[in-house]
Amino acid sequence: MIRENVLVTIRYNMKDSRGEVLENRSVTYRHGSPSISRVLQSQLHGLEVGDQKQVLLRKGEEDADDDFTFDITVEAITEAPPPERGAPGTSVKLHLLSGFLGSGKTTAIREAAKYLEKQNISVAVITNDQGSHLVDGNLFTYLGIPSGQVTGGCFCCNYNDLTLAIRHLVTHNTPSVVFAESVGSCTDLVATVLKPLLQQHPEWQPTMTVFADARLLSKETTPFEGTVNYIYNKQLEEAQVIVVSKIDQLKDPAKIKKTLQARYPGKTII
């Protein structure tokens, strides 16, 4: 039964007031933690594995900008170990960000950090590159945002370094949100990073978002050669969420969203 301090896995379908599906995925959280909406948790209390329920988050509740409906199925309930100092925090949300160079990842993280800090939500950032000296990492240090670095290869080649960096930030800075920005040439993150994290650290609730420059998406073919083009398309294929940046450069931004929804059905397009 869902009660305080158990790990709960739910599958949910989230719709807005117009009936548009915004998300359809599974998530694991510790019941009673601030990692997901308190309003939603209160409506799940007492449910058993296999139970289904429709819950509501109304406009204005927890700063929601619309009425949202969640069709929820309880997939698993397990006893959670007590949190230890230095262990992955139960209230940490980990967001993996991927996308080609110039797609806007670093800028988005910087602005998200500002936005969250204004709401007293602490943020930390992990940057990544093939080299040993990361300009982006120094940028976040300059901005006063706690940060770590994974150098000498992408996240998929340095998975242990990534988890160590997260643990270090959790232990020393206690962030509520961690953004992990992968090097622009990285792909296959779902199999090599996201799935292992979901299995080993479900309390981090890892998600994966890919950024894409609207100007490239609007072209019939990308300007890359074969190998690079494969990586570019693979990043988009494996994303849970695709964020289209620089839409102000297009005459018809709505056309891109429609094209992407047809090309990648079931994904969240922002």
Side-chain angles (χ1 to χ4, degrees):
M1 181 179 73
I2 296 180
R3 62 187 188 282
E4 292 294 306
N5 208 39
V6 297
L7 289 179
V8 182
T9 300
I10 58 173
R11 171 162 287 280
Y12 68 88
N13 184 296
M14 175 186 177
K15 298 178 182 177
D16 60 18
S17 60
R18 299 177 298 280
E20 181 179 353
V21 176
L22 304 178
E23 292 186 8
N24 186 349
R25 66 187 185 96
S26 292
V27 66
T28 300
Y29 72 97
R30 185 189 290 258
H31 196 71
S33 77
S35 55
I36 71 169
S37 163
R38 297 283 192 181
V39 173
L40 298 185
Q41 288 190 64
S42 67
Q43 298 180 66
L44 299 177
H45 201 83
L47 296 183
E48 304 276 1
V49 174
D51 285 351
Q52 297 180 334
K53 187 172 183 179
Q54 186 176 87
V55 301
L56 303 175
L57 181 64
R58 299 190 182 281
K59 186 174 182 178
E61 292 180 320
E62 299 184 339
D63 294 325
D65 59 1
D66 196 358
D67 292 330
F68 297 105
T69 302
F70 298 80
D71 293 311
I72 294 176
T73 300
V74 181
E75 295 187 327
I77 302 172
T78 57
E79 294 295 331
E84 301 175 2
R85 180 169 176 78
T90 58
S91 63
V92 175
K93 289 186 177 181
L94 173 65
H95 299 297
L96 298 169
L97 278 71
S98 182
F100 255 46
L101 293 170
S103 59
K105 303 188 297 295
T106 305
T107 302
I109 292 173
R110 184 186 65 198
E111 295 305 312
K114 291 180 183 177
Y115 176 80
L116 292 171
E117 291 288 355
K118 288 180 180 178
Q119 301 181 64
N120 295 316
I121 299 173
S122 55
V123 177
V125 180
I126 296 172
T127 54
N128 171 227
D129 210 331
Q130 306 286 358
S132 57
H133 300 285
L134 276 61
V135 174
D136 290 349
N138 293 333
L139 168 65
F140 289 113
T141 299
Y142 172 77
L143 294 173
I145 300 171
S147 62
Q149 298 184 1
V150 175
T151 61
C154 54
F155 286 154
C156 59
C157 301
N158 294 279
Y159 176 79
N160 290 336
D161 289 347
L162 172 62
T163 57
L164 285 173
I166 297 168
R167 287 177 182 275
H168 180 83
L169 287 170
V170 169
T171 301
H172 293 89
N173 303 101
T174 60
S176 296
V177 175
V178 176
F179 294 108
E181 177 187 354
S182 71
V183 62
S185 59
C186 190
T187 188
D188 206 22
L189 284 170
V190 170
T192 60
V193 179
L194 182 62
K195 287 185 178 179
L197 284 172
L198 286 167
Q199 292 174 353
Q200 298 170 18
H201 302 288
E203 70 277 12
W204 287 344
Q205 301 181 73
T207 66
M208 177 150 166
T209 299
V210 172
F211 280 68
D213 187 326
R215 295 169 298 180
L216 290 177
L217 292 172
S218 66
K219 299 179 183 298
E220 292 296 327
T221 58
T222 59
F224 310 123
E225 57 89 18
T227 304
V228 178
N229 193 54
Y230 169 81
I231 296 173
Y232 177 81
N233 287 312
K234 189 67 175 177
Q235 287 180 349
L236 294 170
E237 289 171 6
E238 68 178 5
Q240 292 175 318
V241 178
I242 297 176
V243 175
V244 184
S245 61
K246 308 178 185 179
I247 61 169
D248 58 306
Q249 302 295 312
L250 302 181
K251 293 181 179 179
D252 186 8
K255 184 178 178 181
I256 285 293
K257 184 171 184 178
K258 187 175 181 180
T259 300
L260 287 177
Q261 286 174 331
R263 189 184 303 169
Y264 305 111
K267 297 185 185 300
T268 301
I269 312 294
I270 299 176

